[in-house]
Amino acid sequence: MLSNYINRDKIYIEDIAKYEGQKVTLYGWLYNKRLKGKLAFLLLRDGTGIIQCVMSVADVGEEIFQRAEEVTQESSIVVSGQVRADQRAPGGYEILADDLQIVHLAKDYPITPKEHGTTFLMDHRHLWLRSRKQNAILRIRHTIIQSIRDFFDQQKFVLIDAPIFTPAACEGTTTLFETDYFDTKAYLTQSGQLYMEAAAMAFGKVYCFGPTFRAEKSKTRRHLTEFWMVEPEVAYMDLDGAMELAENLVAYIVERVLDKHQEQLKILERDTQKLELIKTPFPRIHYDEAAKILKEAGSEFVYGDDFGGGDETIISNQFDRPVMVHRYPAAVKAFYMKNDPEDPERALCVDMLAPEGYGEIIGGGQREDDYDTLVQKIEHHGLPQSAFEWYLDLRRYGSVPHSGFGLGIERTVAWICGLHHVRETIPFPRLMHRLYP
Ligand code: 4AD
Ligand code: MG
C-alpha cells in the first residue's frame, strides 16, 4: 500500500547536516546505484538533494539486502539509517543504511545515465525534470523570480496582474496568437505593459509578472512562444531612471543567485567569476556607437535596422557586464515609445544585452505621453484606434512622463546558468514545434 509511506514530518536531504550521528528515514527515489560484493551504494534523491546510502549485508541481513539488488532506477524508496559525515561523499554526508523499503518499483525508466539526444529528453520532459542538472536550473529560476519579487517589494512597488486575453497587439501584429472569444477575437497577451501604464497612473510604481505569448516562427535558441516576463512601470520617470532601475535589478538578481546557489552553479559548471563581475554601473551606449562596433567587426548589419541575434553577441562581447543600448531609430521600435525631443528620429528606448552572447534580456524605455502624437503613432503602425481608446484615456486624463521595461525570465536564467538554449530554463517549454508534454 503506497499510503503506508505517508509522512508529514519528513527530513529532507538539504537539512541533513542537522542530523549528523542521528538515525533518520528518508523518502525519495533511487537516482543510481552500485553493487560491490556484499555492499550496496544507493544514491537516493528526494528533490532537495542526493545522498549516498551505504548498505552492507552484514548489517541488514539477506532479505533487505536483496531489495537493494532488485531496486531499479527511479523506483520510489524509503531508507533508514544513521547520518555520517564523510569528506569523500558528495554533499559531505552519507547514510549508513539499516533498512530499505521499495514503495514502487519502476520498470525500464527511459532516461538512463547514458547520453540522450535533446528531442528524446524534451519528449520526456516530465521525467527529465528529475535529473540533477534540471533540478539545479529550476532552483536557480525559483531564486531569480523570488529575488525579483523581493527587489520590487522592498522598493514598495505594487504587484498588479495584467490580463492574458487582450483585445489588441502591444508588440507588433506578426507574433499574435489569436483565439476565439465568444463571438469576437481575442489575442494572448504579448506584454502587460499597456496595463501597467494604466496601473502606474493609479499606484505610482507597479510591476506585473506573468506569462506572455508570441507566435515566434523563428527557431532560435532565444525564443519561446510562451515565456515569463516581469514588467515594472513608474510614473514621473524618464529613460535614465528606467536604465538605473534595470541595472540595479539585474545586479541584485545575480548577487542573490551567487549567494545562494554555489552548489547548483557548480553542477552546471558555470564560470562564476564572470558573474562576480556583474556590478553597477553597467555601460550605456548609444545605438550609433553599437552600430560602429558592428561595422568595425565586419558585420553585415544595415545601419537603421534593429540588431539580429548575431549582432547582439558581437556588441555584448565588448563588455564584461550587461550593456544598455539606447536610442534606437524610432522606425524599428514599437508604437508606444516616445521620440527623443533632441533627436526626433530616435526612440527613448533601451535594450539590455547580457554578456557572453546571451543577447537581449531587457527591453523598455520612456512612453509617449502626448495624446496627439500617440494617435498618430497608432495610425502609422496600422493599429485600430478603437482598441486603444482606453490607453489614450491615460493621455487625456492627467498624462505624465513615465517609463518601464520588461525583463525576460528565461533568457535571464539561460545567461546566469550558462545554458546554450532557453528551452531548459522553463519547466515545460513551448516552442513552435513543441507543445508536448
Ligand atoms: O523587448 P520586448 O518585446 O519588450 C516588451 O514586451 C515591452 N512591452 C516590455 C516593457 O517595456 N514593459 O520583450 C522584453 C523581453 C526581452 O528583452 C526578452 O528578454 C524577452 O522579453 N522576450 C522573450 N523571451 C523568450 N522568448 C521570446 N520569444 C521573447 N520575446 C521577448
Ligand atoms: Mg525587445
Side-chain angles (χ1 to χ4, degrees), residues 2 43 46 53 61 65 78 89 91 125 127 140 154 158 188 197 221 249 258 266 268 277 301 324 334 359 363 366 379:
L2 293 186
L43 283 182
D46 72 351
C53 307
F65 195 79
V78 176
R125 182 66 174 167
L127 302 176
I140 291 175
Q154 279 161 18
V158 182
L188 299 186
E197 291 183 54
R221 62 198 189 90
L249 170 66
L258 282 171
K266 205 167 156 199
L268 299 171
L277 299 170
F301 162 77
M324 294 191 278
Q366 193 166 334
E379 198 193 316

Side-chain angles (χ1 to χ4, degrees), residues 171 191 193 214 216 224 231 336 360-362 367 406 408:
E171 295 299 326
S191 158
Q193 177 195 322
R214 301 205 189 164
E216 304 276 4
L224 295 161
E231 299 182 83
Y336 52 73
E360 179 198 329
I361 53 171
I362 284 181
R367 322 306 188 184

Side-chain angles (χ1 to χ4, degrees), residues 170-171 190-194 196 208 212-216 218 222-233 333-334 336-337 350-352 359-365 367 403-412 422:
C170 176
E171 295 299 326
Q190 297 169 305
S191 158
Q193 177 195 322
L194 308 185
M196 290 308 101
C208 63
T212 46
F213 307 86
R214 301 205 189 164
E216 304 276 4
S218 54
R222 296 173 185 170
H223 289 90
L224 295 161
T225 55
E226 179 178 309
F227 63 98
W228 288 68
M229 188 154 55
V230 59
E231 299 182 83
E233 192 72 30
K333 288 291 180 184
Y336 52 73
M337 294 200 179
V350 61
D351 277 5
M352 186 189 286
E360 179 198 329
I361 53 171
I362 284 181
R367 322 306 188 184
S403 303
F405 60 83
L407 171 128
I409 297 297
E410 289 75 20
R411 290 194 195 168
T412 305
V422 289

Side-chain angles (χ1 to χ4, degrees), residues 238-240 243 285-288 303 325-350 364-370 373 377 401-403:
D238 64 2
L239 173 64
D240 284 339
M243 289 199 272
I285 63 171
H286 190 283
Y287 172 87
D288 286 353
Y303 182 85
V325 184
H326 54 83
R327 295 181 170 78
Y328 287 59
V332 299
K333 288 291 180 184
F335 76 95
Y336 52 73
M337 294 200 179
K338 187 173 176 63
N339 291 17
D340 186 351
E342 288 169 17
D343 188 359
E345 296 294 300
R346 310 287 171 164
L348 287 173
C349 67
V350 61
Q366 193 166 334
R367 322 306 188 184
E368 182 51 68
D369 45 34
D370 177 66
T373 316
K377 287 185 173 225
H402 60 288
S403 303

Side-chain angles (χ1 to χ4, degrees), residues 30-241:
L30 184 78
Y31 195 68
N32 206 346
K33 76 172 180 186
R34 199 156 48 87
L35 297 172
K36 208 172 150 199
K38 297 186 178 326
L39 285 176
F41 300 91
L42 308 173
L43 283 182
L44 178 138
R45 67 164 190 89
D46 72 351
T48 75
I50 296 178
I51 196 162
Q52 174 164 280
C53 307
V54 186
M55 185 183 281
S56 119
V57 69
D59 293 344
V60 300
E62 290 292 346
E63 195 197 327
I64 292 176
F65 195 79
Q66 208 180 351
R67 292 181 203 153
E69 290 175 331
E70 268 168 34
V71 68
T72 50
Q73 188 193 350
E74 286 303 323
S75 289
S76 35
I77 54 174
V78 176
V79 174
S80 302
Q82 200 189 27
V83 181
R84 189 166 71 175
D86 186 334
Q87 292 294 322
R88 293 160 305 170
Y93 294 90
E94 60 179 24
I95 305 292
L96 205 56
D98 55 32
D99 190 24
L100 164 66
Q101 305 279 331
I102 298 176
V103 182
H104 176 252
L105 197 67
K107 293 201 190 83
D108 303 322
Y109 186 69
I111 306 178
T112 58
K114 69 162 200 196
E115 292 276 311
H116 292 283
T118 309
T119 305
F120 179 86
L121 290 169
M122 277 296 166
D123 286 343
H124 294 86
R125 182 66 174 167
H126 50 295
L127 302 176
W128 191 23
L129 293 179
R130 304 180 185 192
S131 83
R132 199 193 302 251
K133 192 175 156 197
Q134 299 309 313
N135 190 290
I137 296 166
L138 294 181
R139 280 182 180 271
I140 291 175
R141 177 186 170 104
H142 165 87
T143 295
I144 288 172
I145 292 170
Q146 195 177 38
S147 64
I148 289 168
R149 294 287 314 267
D150 287 346
F151 177 87
F152 288 117
D153 294 349
Q154 279 161 18
Q155 297 192 36
K156 300 192 179 169
F157 280 64
V158 182
L159 176 74
I160 301 287
D161 302 309
I164 305 289
F165 286 130
T166 61
C170 176
E171 295 299 326
T173 48
T174 56
T175 61
L176 280 176
F177 273 117
E178 195 180 284
T179 173
D180 288 333
Y181 196 78
F182 305 105
D183 42 12
T184 171
K185 294 265 176 251
Y187 307 100
L188 299 186
T189 185
Q190 297 169 305
S191 158
Q193 177 195 322
L194 308 185
Y195 298 96
M196 290 308 101
E197 291 183 54
M201 303 305 138
F203 296 87
K205 29 184 193 177
V206 297
Y207 70 106
C208 63
F209 175 59
T212 46
F213 307 86
R214 301 205 189 164
E216 304 276 4
K217 288 174 199 82
S218 54
K219 283 192 272 174
T220 78
R221 62 198 189 90
R222 296 173 185 170
H223 289 90
L224 295 161
T225 55
E226 179 178 309
F227 63 98
W228 288 68
M229 188 154 55
V230 59
E231 299 182 83
E233 192 72 30
V234 182
Y236 295 102
M237 188 171 78
D238 64 2
L239 173 64
D240 284 339

Side-chain angles (χ1 to χ4, degrees), residues 354-396:
E356 301 172 71
Y358 282 93
E360 179 198 329
I361 53 171
I362 284 181
Q366 193 166 334
R367 322 306 188 184
E368 182 51 68
D369 45 34
D370 177 66
Y371 177 84
D372 292 325
T373 316
L374 189 56
V375 169
Q376 281 168 24
K377 287 185 173 225
I378 289 170
E379 198 193 316
H380 183 75
H381 278 80
L383 296 166
Q385 189 178 320
S386 59
F388 292 96
E389 283 302 334
W390 70 270
Y391 186 62
L392 287 163
D393 271 354
L394 307 175
R395 282 74 180 167
R396 287 187 186 105

